[in-house]
Amino acid sequence: MATKASRSAARLMMAPAVILLLGWMLVPLTMTLWFSFRKYLPLRGGDLGWAGFDNYTRFVTSSAFWPSVMATLTVVGGVLIITVCLGVLLAILLDQPMWGQGVVRILVIAPFFVMPTVSALVWKNMFMDPTNGLFAHLFKFFGAEPIAWLSQASMPSIIMIVSWQWLPFATLILLTAIQSLDSEQLEASEIDGAPPLKRFWFIILPHLGRAITVVILIQTIFLLSIFAEIFVTTGGAFGTKTLTYLIFQRVLESQNIGLGSAGGVYAIILANIVAIFLMRIVGKNLDN
Amino acid sequence: MGRITLDKVTKSFGETQVIPPLDLTIEDGEFTVFVGPSGCGKSTLLRLIAGLEDITSGQIRIDGNDATNVPPAKRGLAMVFQSYALYPHMSVRKNIAFPLRMAKLDKAAQDAKIEAAAAALNLTDYLDRKPGQLSGGQRQRVAIGRAIVREPSAFLFDEPLSNLDAALRVGMRMEISELHKKLATTMVYVTHDQVEAMTMADKIVVLRAGHIEQVGSPLELYKAPRNLFVAGFIGSPKMNLIDGPEAAKHDAHTIGVRPEHIAVSASEGIWSGKVGVTEHLGSDTFLHVHGTGLGEMITVRAGGEVDFKYGDTIYLTPRADVIHRFGTDGLRIA
Ligand SMILES: Nc1ncnc2c1ncn2[C@@H]1O[C@H](COP(=O)(O)OP(=O)(O)O)[C@@H](O)[C@H]1O
Ligand SMILES: [Mg+2]
């Protein structure tokens, strides 16, 4: 795409896609903004006119708001820490030559293909059920009192389920990154007198920096909006009501579209704050 | 100190034996070059010495001590890799400091050594750059700097110049030779380029398929190649190998005549042929002579002034005192 003619031709040909994507994004965004300033109660009279900033003030002053922000950040942070740490370890493990490597790799990646709703239900009923779950049986086997995971340890449970879903993604990206590490660098550091742990710390981890950044950025975007896992497990109870879930409740359970839309706008703002924050911390890894 | 002894060392990858039993002694302070065609096991041999590969059987001794099962870091050797293997996220200073840091040397001593190495290698201005911001030659020097600061008992080089362009390669060749003179440390150098071997080595080890074909000084190998392989490998352009009746006249199965040992004439000589391609280098002219009945082609190195054109008839006379004779087994006949 060097010449002027080919550049404008390229623009012309990209235009339909760009316009479609822009529309796709702009229409819902504008509608959300529009409704957030309306008093709109579908079952109680429908659109009742302008509400000014009422919806916005009501949303933040509600006692559920700050806990929901905290819950969102806890889930995102917890899942990120677990998936990145375990992802690095698993990637190193899968990079070792071993028998049945192909099968093991497919098994590790498999959870990513399970729908969130399904995986959350499987966890809830097969693992975390306080009477019939596998964990309960395990606890009993060792003579411990089974715990009701989703009510007594609701947040860790949610984080565990979501981490399980996202670990394959992190592992896959980190594995490809590890495979691109020049083995001569490792050998050089071995000759230079670095024992295995120092080789990991000084050579492998810095090499993975960029891949870890990518994993964090992509996962954050998706994790800020997790919903199905909470919907089918705790239903937002026991301190697991994230911002997304709160908006859902405002719109569908309270039947208040205006209030929910204002929450949606707050969610956009939160996502941007987190994104800027992340870019500052880890984004410089993406340079050069 | 850095005397390395290989005693009946073998190496197999699975079923395939890459290094058959091999004995070799590298003397302290010697510049030894392993040379041979690609895939003959030079790198493998070097990696065995470094400890990056386990030997299948045999023994490696460094300064008389059994080093067969000693981990690489404890062998007191430094290695320079073909890809340089610099740590890309560390500055030049950190790269050079890495082995010192691993050895837990105190900061002041580290800095002194880094400064000294950087000064010796002209890297002082680049200490705070990352390897990605350096040219190939500079990266090579950083890799050498990282090796020097450890003060190893021997340096191992694996084709360190093959990623450089021709001019830079000549320069770095000199620098490494000079470094060897200055440090007087054992150096083991792997290359597939016989010119590098001839110009740098105290001792050349010619390898083929893991076998040592001949060990000797560059001139020994040039003057008295032990077999046809060494005869064809050492020297540029290649030695002319002639068999048939012409070889029988010298009581040999094959005779070898180096291009520089053939006199040319437009009127008289022992052999005659037609001039093919001529390569004028200014100082020398390489003539490719066809139709002599001695083989496909005879290469002749003549002075820069000779004036033969494509298709001219040329007469050739080999110098009788430097004709190499080989028997049916390919070995040199004394
Ligand atoms: N890790 C390995 N596994 C299997 N075969 C190898 C391995 N490393 C080297 N080889 C084989 O050993 C032979 C010698 O290789 P190498 O020492 O790299 O040759 P050179 O450095 O002389 O070009 C080659 O045939 C190569 O295929
Ligand atoms: Mg090699």
Side-chain angles (χ1 to χ4, degrees):
Chain A
M1 286 209 268
T3 66
K4 224 178 216 171
S6 65
R7 262 202 303 273
S8 49
R11 280 205 198 115
L12 202 69
M13 285 187 240
M14 282 191 298
V18 171
I19 290 169
L20 188 70
L21 281 175
L22 216 61
W24 208 273
M25 190 193 79
L26 280 181
V27 170
L29 184 65
T30 335
M31 282 174 70
T32 309
L33 274 173
W34 167 261
F35 284 129
S36 70
F37 291 107
R38 307 288 294 183
K39 189 173 168 66
Y40 189 3
L41 309 166
L43 294 185
R44 286 167 283 162
D47 197 341
L48 302 174
W50 290 104
F53 282 92
D54 263 12
N55 288 326
Y56 286 92
T57 36
R58 268 186 69 196
F59 197 87
V60 278
T61 47
S62 130
S63 63
F65 177 72
W66 285 110
S68 76
V69 172
M70 281 317 295
T72 307
L73 295 180
T74 313
V75 171
V76 172
V79 173
L80 281 181
I81 291 171
I82 291 177
T83 50
V84 168
C85 293
L86 287 184
V88 170
L89 293 181
L90 264 179
I92 292 175
L93 199 68
L94 290 180
D95 190 40
Q96 309 298 318
M98 59 179 166
W99 189 82
Q101 199 167 36
V103 176
V104 173
R105 282 187 188 170
I106 289 174
L107 282 180
V108 167
I109 290 157
F112 202 49
F113 299 119
V114 180
M115 280 176 283
T117 327
V118 175
S119 84
L121 282 173
V122 167
W123 273 91
K124 178 185 177 182
N125 296 316
M126 291 184 67
F127 290 95
M128 292 173 166
D129 191 278
T131 43
N132 296 319
L134 273 179
F135 287 158
H137 285 297
L138 207 66
F139 272 55
K140 276 185 231 153
F141 181 80
F142 287 106
E145 187 67 25
I147 56 170
W149 286 89
L150 288 168
S151 47
Q152 283 172 288
S154 49
M155 200 49 130
S157 303
I158 297 274
I159 291 178
M160 193 148 78
I161 294 171
V162 179
S163 299
W164 181 80
Q165 278 169 18
W166 281 93
L167 185 57
F169 172 77
T171 307
L172 199 64
I173 301 239
L174 294 169
L175 178 62
T176 54
I178 275 193
Q179 285 172 336
S180 73
L181 175 60
D182 176 14
S183 65
E184 287 196 344
Q185 272 179 41
L186 285 178
E187 290 174 346
S189 63
E190 190 179 351
I191 295 182
D192 281 346
L197 269 181
K198 288 201 172 155
R199 288 208 288 278
F200 172 74
W201 186 254
F202 288 108
I203 313 294
I204 297 179
L205 212 51
H207 175 79
L208 289 181
R210 193 181 295 203
I212 291 177
T213 311
V214 169
V215 166
I216 291 179
L217 287 178
I218 293 182
Q219 284 199 19
T220 306
I221 293 167
F222 284 96
L223 292 177
L224 279 171
S225 60
I226 54 162
F227 176 79
E229 295 84 342
I230 298 171
F231 183 74
V232 301
T233 53
T234 61
F238 312 114
T240 59
K241 195 185 290 171
T242 60
L243 196 53
T244 329
Y245 203 85
L246 183 65
I247 294 167
F248 160 76
Q249 284 188 334
R250 290 291 182 260
V251 172
L252 275 150
E253 289 173 13
S254 326
Q255 286 290 324
N256 190 337
I257 291 189
L259 193 57
S261 299
V265 175
Y266 280 122
I268 296 170
I269 295 170
L270 176 73
N272 277 292
I273 292 175
V274 171
I276 291 170
F277 198 60
L278 276 176
M279 284 296 204
R280 279 279 161 78
I281 301 174
V282 294
K284 63 176 189 287
N285 275 340
L286 287 177
D287 296 347
N288 71 61
Chain B
M1 283 296 288
R3 186 172 193 269
I4 301 168
T5 315
L6 307 185
D7 192 3
K8 297 194 187 55
V9 166
T10 71
K11 175 68 186 175
S12 305
F13 290 110
E15 293 290 295
T16 45
Q17 193 172 50
V18 176
I19 309 283
L22 179 144
D23 294 292
L24 180 69
T25 301
I26 295 160
E27 297 296 341
D28 181 35
E30 209 171 43
F31 198 120
T32 303
V33 174
F34 295 166
V35 69
S38 184
C40 70
K42 307 178 295 288
S43 299
T44 306
L45 196 54
L46 199 70
R47 292 163 59 82
L48 290 174
I49 295 174
L52 294 173
E53 302 275 0
D54 293 324
I55 63 175
T56 307
S57 69
Q59 196 186 45
I60 293 180
R61 287 191 297 277
I62 298 174
D63 292 330
N65 306 317
D66 183 3
T68 312
N69 294 312
V70 176
K74 300 266 158 56
R75 297 194 182 192
L77 308 174
M79 185 151 169
V80 176
F81 292 85
Q82 181 173 355
S83 67
Y84 317 134
L86 299 179
Y87 311 131
H89 49 277
M90 298 184 200
S91 64
V92 169
R93 180 189 298 278
K94 289 236 172 83
N95 261 283
I96 298 178
F98 191 75
L100 305 175
R101 220 165 128 198
M102 292 301 114
K104 301 207 168 62
L105 208 68
D106 68 73
K107 196 83 183 68
Q110 277 190 29
D111 285 339
K113 285 189 182 208
I114 295 167
E115 298 298 336
L121 293 161
N122 283 327
L123 286 171
T124 312
D125 295 340
Y126 307 106
L127 278 176
D128 294 316
R129 291 213 198 160
K130 294 270 175 70
Q133 300 163 311
L134 300 179
S135 72
Q138 289 164 341
R139 285 184 213 181
Q140 186 63 74
R141 280 206 280 271
V142 177
I144 294 173
R146 194 172 64 186
I148 291 179
V149 289
R150 299 185 54 205
E151 294 169 9
S153 57
F155 290 92
L156 310 176
F157 294 92
D158 191 355
E159 311 219 10
L161 307 186
S162 54
N163 287 340
L164 303 180
D165 62 59
L168 213 50
R169 198 145 44 185
V170 175
M172 282 306 294
R173 215 157 73 193
M174 307 281 285
E175 279 187 42
I176 294 177
S177 291
E178 229 156 73
L179 192 70
H180 176 245
K181 295 281 178 299
K182 205 158 63 192
L183 299 174
T185 310
T186 312
M187 290 191 177
V188 185
Y189 187 104
V190 162
T191 179
H192 63 267
D193 180 357
Q194 63 93 24
V195 176
E196 269 175 35
M198 292 296 280
T199 49
M200 301 171 84
D202 294 325
K203 179 159 93 184
I204 296 181
V205 178
V206 182
L207 292 168
R208 176 170 59 162
H211 279 284
I212 295 183
E213 295 287 316
Q214 190 170 6
V215 179
S217 73
L219 278 187
E220 278 167 18
L221 264 57
Y222 177 81
K223 284 186 179 151
R226 205 174 69 84
N227 57 30
L228 281 172
F229 178 77
V230 179
F233 197 78
I234 299 291
S236 171
K238 268 186 152 95
M239 183 189 280
N240 297 296
L241 297 171
I242 301 161
D243 38 36
E246 192 62 32
K249 282 189 207 160
H250 294 87
D251 296 325
H253 182 260
T254 309
I255 56 168
V257 185
R258 292 200 183 276
E260 53 270 41
H261 295 153
I262 299 177
V264 297
S265 157
S267 51
E268 56 189 330
I270 297 182
W271 304 324
S272 70
K274 291 253 181 284
V275 175
V277 172
T278 55
E279 298 172 297
H280 292 280
L281 302 185
S283 57
D284 301 301
T285 308
F286 298 144
L287 302 159
H288 298 247
V289 180
H290 301 275
T292 53
L294 301 168
E296 201 154 299
M297 183 184 82
I298 299 288
T299 313
V300 181
R301 175 176 173 177
E305 311 298 322
V306 299
D307 189 20
F308 286 100
K309 292 194 179 51
Y310 188 87
D312 286 356
T313 300
I314 189 171
Y315 292 89
L316 310 173
T317 311
R319 258 176 64 186
D321 56 329
V322 282
I323 291 179
H324 305 269
R325 301 185 305 137
F326 302 95
T328 42
D329 52 1
L331 289 180
R332 180 183 190 81
I333 304 170

